[in-house]
């Protein structure tokens, strides 16, 4: 089916998934680092005589949003996205796998459905600037596009078998 063979395509997809996961990990770490730094400035600003820059609250909100954006796809890939464990946990392994694949398809369809709106939102933000720090808001609003693209990419990766495997329950025969 593929001109280079299925093994080549699987390795290539594996490299893409690993690269995207690494990018998301580093993005999560960077956002967390910025959040720590800004909150530290805010806390120090409460000490008498230590000034606190006026932009720290806004940057903290931006960092928190980026933290969520970069980590949601990783959570999906690892099977750690919020789900209804009370419903899924008692099911046999095969049924759990089927339910998780249905959830992956639902997430994929939802993410694909909101990508055009997210793109329009980002596109409409050109020219806006943040009030307290005077930076282009497109850098902040692009997070609205990162989330559905990340969810779509990692749900496809899970459907192709690149996600975390479903662990059997204690005492369960596989």
């Amino acid at each position: 089916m593929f001109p280079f063979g299925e093994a080549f395509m699987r390795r290539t997809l594996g490299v893409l998934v690993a690269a995207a996961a690494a990018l998301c990990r580093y993005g999560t770490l960077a956002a967390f680092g910025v959040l720590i730094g800004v909150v530290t400035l805010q806390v120090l600003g409460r000490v008498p005589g230590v000034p606190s820059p006026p932009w720290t609250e806004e940057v903290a909100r931006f960092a928190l949003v980026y933290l969520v954006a970069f980590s949601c796809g990783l959570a999906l890939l690892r099977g750690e996205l919020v789900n209804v464990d009370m419903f899924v946990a008692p099911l046999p392994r095969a049924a759990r796998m089927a339910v998780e694949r249905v959830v992956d398809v639902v997430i994929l369809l939802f993410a694909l459905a909101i990508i055009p709106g997210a793109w329009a939102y980002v596109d409409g933000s050109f020219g806006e600037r943040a009030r307290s720090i005077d930076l282009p808001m497109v850098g902040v609003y692009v997070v609205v596009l990162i989330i559905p693209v990340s969810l779509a990419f990692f749900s496809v990766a899970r459907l192709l078998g690149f996600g975390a495997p479903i662990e059997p329950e204690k005492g369960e025969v596989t």
Side-chain angles (χ1 to χ4, degrees):
M1 179 171 165
F2 297 114
F4 297 108
E6 190 174 327
F8 173 78
M9 291 303 292
R10 185 133 184 97
R11 270 194 315 274
T12 303
L13 286 172
V15 167
L16 286 174
V17 169
L23 177 68
C24 286
R25 274 193 304 278
Y26 291 129
T28 300
L29 289 172
F32 197 60
V34 168
L35 186 61
I36 289 170
V38 171
V39 170
T40 301
L41 283 175
Q42 288 175 330
V43 170
L44 290 176
R46 288 177 172 64
V47 173
V50 179
S52 177
W55 48 262
T56 56
E57 186 176 333
E58 196 168 22
V59 172
R61 280 194 305 269
F62 299 159
L64 189 57
V65 172
Y66 266 96
L67 181 69
V68 170
F70 282 120
S71 62
C72 70
L74 291 175
L76 175 63
L77 185 64
R78 294 179 184 158
E80 296 172 348
L81 212 56
V82 175
N83 61 28
V84 186
D85 287 337
M86 289 175 38
F87 169 71
V88 179
L91 296 175
R93 186 174 197 271
R96 277 197 319 269
M97 287 178 64
V99 168
E100 288 199 7
R101 295 303 72 88
V102 168
V103 168
D104 290 339
V105 169
V106 168
I107 290 171
L108 174 61
L109 294 175
F110 176 73
L112 291 175
I114 64 173
I115 286 175
W119 176 259
Y121 187 74
V122 171
D123 189 42
S125 72
F126 282 98
E128 290 184 38
R129 299 193 72 76
R131 288 184 179 192
S132 66
I133 196 164
D134 196 34
L135 290 174
M137 286 302 289
V138 70
V140 175
Y141 291 152
V142 76
V143 77
V144 174
L145 190 58
I146 291 172
I147 293 170
V149 168
S150 174
L151 288 174
F153 179 79
F154 287 118
S155 62
V156 167
R158 276 183 56 92
L159 288 167
L160 294 175
F162 289 101
I166 297 174
E167 298 297 325
E169 296 293 319
K170 291 182 180 178
E172 181 181 30
V173 178
T174 56

